[in-house]
Amino acid sequence: MSLADLTFDQWRSFDLSTARQIAQQAADLAGGRVIAVETGEHLGSRMQRVLINRNAQEFALIPGGPVTLGFDLDTWRPTPEQAADYQESLEQGFGNDPDLRAHLAQLLSPRRRVNLATVLMAVEDENLTEPPTDMPAVLAARGLRMPSSDEWEHACGAGASTLFRWGNDCPLDRIPYDDHTGPQHQPNALGLRIAHDTYRTELTSDLTAVHGGDGGESACGGYGHLLGWLPLATANRNPFYAEFVYGPDGEDMYEEFSTRPVFEL
């Protein structure tokens, strides 16, 4: 099978032997070597994940094709505990709307269908070494590029339709910074260490979005527990923080932000 034809739905149906063949094909194209082909549980079935070392950097195989992204707020209902926690945040002066779902609608991308290429994506994000506008050239010199927002979201959620990559719930007695054993610390279904630290802020080719964190703003600001976890939500594009990152106040802080390089297959 050509990697150009590989879809996420097909990938979920492959056995370990087929996954190993695809992994070697991807490694050959990238000039790297396969370091792991593992089987894990995801979305109620078994799924393989592939790690490839390229120039001393680990990448995960991200199958593409037609995929569904975004969060469906029309069918989601907060738990009573989540609603109560958000109400406490409102009373402290945080939140963009009295209704939690309306607040989320301003931050999360809508449910939609897109078509993505199969790529390799870095397991770990890396800090910017130049301003965001200069990073495409920096990465291109290494044969890499920045991901698109859609690619980042797909790689993070790996087909999950829940608020977070691990489900709709999060601890409401602590924020991620204080949770050292929570689900955010586990590699995601495709082997990425992603959406795990709200002090991180990952940039993509989309100047209207940031992902995976808010630079610690929610933790330092005392937003409350649910809002403290929200920067880790898969579909959270945080347009308000993106305005800061790409605006005049953020232009000298680029070393505080990161990106997750992509290798095109």
Side-chain angles (χ1 to χ4, degrees), residues 178-250:
D178 299 323
D179 189 342
H180 304 297
T181 60
Q184 76 276 19
H185 295 297
Q186 298 298 315
N188 84 334
L190 293 171
L192 301 175
R193 190 164 184 256
I194 194 168
H196 65 94
D197 181 356
T198 59
Y199 279 82
R200 305 297 288 173
T201 305
E202 294 194 36
L203 309 188
T204 67
S205 58
D206 186 344
L207 304 187
T208 67
V210 298
H211 300 270
D214 62 0
E217 179 182 348
S218 56
C220 296
Y223 284 12
H225 296 118
L226 179 60
L227 295 189
W229 283 89
L230 193 57
L232 303 185
T234 302
N236 191 350
R237 298 199 169 192
N238 208 336
F240 304 110
Y241 193 63
E243 288 183 9
F244 168 80
V245 169
Y246 291 106
D249 293 331

Side-chain angles (χ1 to χ4, degrees), residues 49-226:
R49 62 186 184 191
V50 168
L51 300 181
I52 291 171
N53 184 292
R54 178 186 183 272
N55 295 339
Q57 186 174 22
E58 285 191 13
F59 289 82
L61 179 67
I62 313 296
V67 296
T68 300
L69 302 179
F71 189 64
D72 188 357
L73 282 168
D74 291 334
T75 60
W76 178 78
R77 295 294 181 273
T79 66
E81 293 78 13
Q82 289 173 332
D85 189 89
Y86 181 66
Q87 185 60 42
E88 291 181 11
S89 294
L90 285 176
E91 292 170 359
Q92 296 298 317
F94 301 108
N96 298 323
D97 192 280
D99 178 71
L100 174 55
R101 289 199 297 164
H103 171 80
L104 294 179
Q106 299 180 55
L107 300 173
L108 307 183
S109 67
R111 203 74 172 149
R112 65 204 183 280
R113 193 76 170 164
V114 303
N115 195 69
L116 299 175
T118 294
V119 299
L120 298 182
M121 185 176 288
V123 170
E124 301 269 1
D125 60 314
E126 57 183 67
N127 287 353
L128 270 60
T129 57
E130 298 289 341
T133 53
D134 296 330
M135 282 305 297
V138 171
L139 292 174
R142 295 161 50 195
L144 304 169
R145 64 168 172 81
M146 297 176 78
S148 69
S149 283
D150 284 350
E151 286 175 325
W152 191 99
E153 189 176 320
H154 168 57
C156 180
S161 61
T162 48
L163 183 58
F164 303 100
R165 58 183 173 85
W166 58 82
N168 282 319
D169 296 327
C170 61
L172 293 178
D173 59 350
R174 70 197 81 119
I175 59 175
Y177 181 77
D178 299 323
D179 189 342
H180 304 297
T181 60
Q184 76 276 19
H185 295 297
Q186 298 298 315
N188 84 334
L190 293 171
L192 301 175
R193 190 164 184 256
I194 194 168
H196 65 94
D197 181 356
T198 59
Y199 279 82
R200 305 297 288 173
T201 305
E202 294 194 36
L203 309 188
T204 67
S205 58
D206 186 344
L207 304 187
T208 67
V210 298
H211 300 270
D214 62 0
E217 179 182 348
S218 56
C220 296
Y223 284 12
H225 296 118
L226 179 60

